[in-house]
Amino acid sequence: MAGLSLQSVRKRFGETEVIGGVDLDVADGEFVVFVGPSGCGKSTLLRMIAGLERTSDGRILIGGRDVTDEDPAKRGIAMVFQTYALYPHMTVATNMGFPLEMAKRPKEEIDRKVAEAAKILHLEAYLGRKPRELSGGQRQRVAIGRAIVRQPGVFLFDEPLSNLDAELRVQMRIEIARLHQELGTTMIYVTHDQIEAMTLASRIVVLRAGRIEQVGAPLELYENPDNSFVAGFIGSPRMNFVPATVMAVEDGRAVVTAPEAGLVGMAVATRGAPPKLGTSVSLGIRPEHFVPAKGATGALSGKISLVERLGGVTYGHALLASGSMITVESRDADRFEIGKTEIFGFQRAFLFGADGVRL
Ligand SMILES: Nc1ncnc2c1ncn2[C@@H]1O[C@H](COP(=O)(O)OP(=O)(O)OP(=O)(O)O)[C@@H](O)[C@H]1O
Ligand SMILES: [Mg+2]
């Protein structure tokens, strides 16, 4: 097992810098998830750790050892991709044992490690089958098994579940959590899936255009985002942002208004230096933080233009007089009526400056 350290790592493809100086320390046994919009550099960073992509600048340490220029095979890592790429003509057992076969390990050792991995992954009954005789989830487990037999110090996963249907994803997500508990090995995991990120990660790394925006425990990022990018990225549906103006500041709080949107004034806690009077800010409210207008500390007024009923939860999309659209969550399927103008109360909000930094 091993920890990992990225020290000012950069990656350039020709003139274009796609990773712009990333510093990150991952403790031994941690489960770290990389999230960020498409093209932000998640896979590139993972491939740099694996050694499949050369690092243009900076250093990568695995288990305290500088591996920046080391061969992928010598880094003590194993990578699992979105496409499982199993050998179709080989059985499950030979597919899983293949890395050890390549390393010319003795047959007895290969058999033992394949049997161990098959037990962990509940694949014992399938060892004699060919990949085409397996479900997608079983195939992905074989791919994970092929990684496990190598007993890597660090597992790298690049969207391993995104080819699976919704139900299998949920199953495999639980399997991966269990696998991490059982093995205790450091894992770095790339995903687009909010729920995977929130449930699997000990810490989430939010990337944007090749740089880290914020690193923290899932609920820390949800409760305490540093900027509007992270606030909008963590949480689903995404946070609503409403333009507002600072009309008063008091100890650790700013009172903001957005008259066109129906907000007459609300005191919001601030973190740093108080914003100046008259500053244009962005008020961030999560869809799940709306409450009945009566007794709420803030309220917006808008006209419902779309209702999405998902059974347990319903989303009302409302157009504010100021032109912003907001999404309001409710447990009541009959809460929203299309075309009706309503008051939406809320209890909690965040403030962001014009540059997106949390105030
Ligand atoms: N071999 C390459 N040559 C030039 N540019 C590349 C190369 N590989 C990746 N890039 C660019 O680097 C950036 C980061 O790509 P990367 O695949 O790491 O993104 P990602 O965050 O994994 O995206 P996705 O979520 O879509 O998988 C992209 O703009 C991509 O076009
Ligand atoms: Mg990718």
Side-chain angles (χ1 to χ4, degrees):
M1 296 210 282
L4 174 82
S5 178
L6 305 179
Q7 302 177 351
S8 311
V9 297
R10 289 172 188 277
K11 175 68 186 175
R12 285 180 290 272
F13 288 112
E15 296 284 280
T16 325
E17 187 170 80
V18 297
I19 298 294
V22 165
D23 286 288
L24 179 71
D25 281 309
V26 176
D28 186 16
E30 244 193 308
F31 198 128
V32 168
V33 175
F34 290 173
V35 299
S38 189
C40 72
K42 304 178 293 294
S43 297
T44 304
L45 195 55
L46 208 65
R47 291 169 58 80
M48 288 162 73
I49 297 168
L52 300 173
E53 212 66 82
R54 266 191 65 83
T55 298
S56 311
D57 236 324
R59 300 200 309 155
I60 298 177
L61 278 69
I62 297 177
R65 205 162 49 87
D66 190 334
V67 298
T68 317
D69 297 311
E70 192 152 64
D71 199 61
K74 299 206 178 110
R75 295 189 179 203
I77 49 97
M79 190 150 168
V80 179
F81 299 91
Q82 176 177 350
T83 47
Y84 1 97
L86 302 176
Y87 299 104
H89 58 287
M90 291 185 192
T91 63
V92 166
T94 27
N95 262 293
M96 289 210 285
F98 194 69
L100 302 178
E101 196 88 44
M102 290 299 286
K104 304 212 162 48
R105 307 304 306 166
K107 181 167 184 319
E108 167 279 321
E109 181 190 328
I110 299 177
D111 290 347
R112 179 170 46 83
K113 286 189 173 157
V114 167
E116 276 170 20
K119 184 154 178 273
I120 292 172
L121 295 164
H122 305 304
L123 284 171
E124 291 137 305
Y126 306 98
L127 284 171
R129 289 204 196 172
K130 300 275 171 63
R132 66 168 181 279
E133 299 162 324
L134 301 174
S135 73
Q138 289 162 343
R139 282 181 215 171
Q140 189 55 297
R141 272 189 276 161
V142 176
I144 294 171
R146 200 167 47 184
I148 289 179
V149 295
R150 298 172 54 191
Q151 296 179 317
V154 181
F155 280 100
L156 305 176
F157 292 95
D158 195 352
E159 306 199 43
L161 309 186
S162 50
N163 278 356
L164 306 178
D165 69 37
E167 197 178 331
L168 259 180
R169 273 185 95 121
V170 174
Q171 255 177 45
M172 282 302 294
R173 188 178 84 217
I174 294 166
E175 300 268 318
I176 287 179
R178 196 177 50 77
L179 186 71
H180 181 248
Q181 267 173 15
E182 206 157 311
L183 301 177
T185 311
T186 312
M187 295 187 175
I188 318 267
Y189 190 104
V190 170
T191 184
H192 272 111
D193 186 297
Q194 284 270 335
I195 300 181
E196 279 173 30
M198 295 302 280
T199 57
L200 290 172
S202 7
R203 282 189 303 157
I204 296 177
V205 176
V206 183
L207 289 163
R208 179 197 201 180
R211 288 174 193 276
I212 293 181
E213 287 284 318
Q214 193 174 353
V215 182
L219 290 182
E220 211 172 292
L221 297 190
Y222 177 85
E223 298 286 353
N224 232 342
D226 282 345
N227 53 55
S228 55
F229 182 81
V230 173
F233 203 83
I234 302 289
S236 176
R238 61 186 270 114
M239 185 182 279
N240 300 296
F241 295 101
V242 178
T245 310
V246 176
M247 62 179 278
V249 286
E250 40 191 74
D251 212 16
R253 280 150 37 116
V255 179
V256 296
T257 67
E260 275 190 53
L263 180 71
V264 286
M266 180 191 185
V268 185
T270 50
R271 301 205 294 188
K276 294 205 173 62
L277 291 188
T279 309
S280 295
V281 295
S282 186
L283 184 69
I285 310 151
R286 295 198 184 277
E288 58 273 31
H289 289 163
F290 284 94
V291 295
K294 209 175 156 193
T297 48
L300 297 169
S301 153
K303 188 172 169 182
I304 293 289
S305 61
L306 179 75
V307 181
E308 295 176 301
R309 294 185 180 86
L310 305 185
V313 61
T314 296
Y315 297 111
H317 299 273
L319 179 65
L320 309 183
S322 58
S324 317
M325 281 295 294
I326 60 165
T327 304
V328 180
E329 183 181 311
S330 173
R331 296 269 144 194
D332 176 2
D334 300 322
R335 163 78 178 77
F336 308 109
E337 195 182 314
I338 289 182
K340 195 172 160 198
T341 298
E342 289 195 42
I343 308 287
F344 306 103
F346 54 94
Q347 213 63 286
R348 304 172 57 185
F350 299 90
L351 282 187
F352 303 96
D355 55 358
V357 174
R358 172 101 174 273
L359 298 174

